[in-house]
Amino acid sequence: QVFSSPKLRVHIQARQRLNKRNSNHQAMGNKCGSSAPQEPKITVCVQSAQNLPGTDWFPGTDRFLYFGVGADVGGEELFKSQQKKNVVDPVWNEECELPSDTPLKFTVFQADADGKADIIGCATLDLPALGATEFNGELPLEMEGNPSGSVLTLKAKSGDTYPTEQGSEFKVSIDNPKKKAL
């Protein structure tokens, strides 16, 4: 291009850089105040696991238990917990934020000191199929599609507070007509 004055040339070059920068920002999307829809999320707190099998673990050897959460068992993990060393019933109490519009597969792993990991149980939390937005309870763990007798205790919330625990106490009243007659 031919520019008639140095000031005009500097002005045009600055305008071109600004236009290029604006088009790059539009291509990347507006991170702040974006109008793009947010993926619905839930907060999940995995509290513990009970009655896990002691496969390949003997006292005196190291055993590391952890869980992963993903869309598929053993697939890409959306979250991975801290490892708990040499325990039978691990307590994690770990929170993570996960998508709420898909079934979540929880996989409990056992790893040895060499880092070799084996799956020792899997459970699925499918809130969309239940028509629910929260959960507080136990999920039975399975191994190869069969119940293992182990459970994963967790709670999930879509708002600010977790749902209350489902109590194990209940009240029964029996109407006894013979007692009324006395």
Side-chain angles (χ1 to χ4, degrees), residues 66-161:
Y66 65 97
F67 70 89
V69 186
D72 292 314
V73 172
E76 181 182 339
E77 293 173 335
L78 302 170
F79 179 80
K80 181 179 172 183
S81 75
Q82 296 292 315
Q83 292 185 350
K84 298 296 179 179
K85 184 177 179 181
N86 296 338
V87 294
V88 177
D89 294 332
V91 175
W92 288 288
N93 286 320
E94 291 192 38
E95 275 192 346
C96 54
E97 195 169 84
L98 300 165
S100 66
D101 58 352
T102 184
L104 299 171
K105 311 282 188 204
F106 293 84
T107 307
V108 179
F109 295 91
Q110 171 181 289
D112 56 24
D114 298 332
K116 181 181 170 270
D118 296 315
I119 295 173
I120 58 173
C122 304
T124 301
L125 178 63
D126 192 352
L127 291 177
L130 297 172
T133 58
E134 54 187 31
F135 178 84
N136 191 343
E138 295 179 341
L139 292 177
L141 291 169
E142 296 180 347
M143 188 62 183
E144 298 176 1
N146 298 313
S148 67
S150 305
V151 294
L152 189 65
T153 304
L154 60 93
K155 51 190 175 180
K157 65 180 180 177
S158 60
D160 293 333
T161 58

Side-chain angles (χ1 to χ4, degrees), residues 7-23:
K7 281 185 175 183
L8 181 60
R9 181 177 54 230
V10 170
H11 178 73
I12 290 173
Q13 289 172 339
R15 172 62 77 194
Q16 288 171 339
R17 283 193 303 270
L18 182 62
N19 287 342
K20 184 176 180 182
R21 191 172 2 160
N22 285 342
S23 68

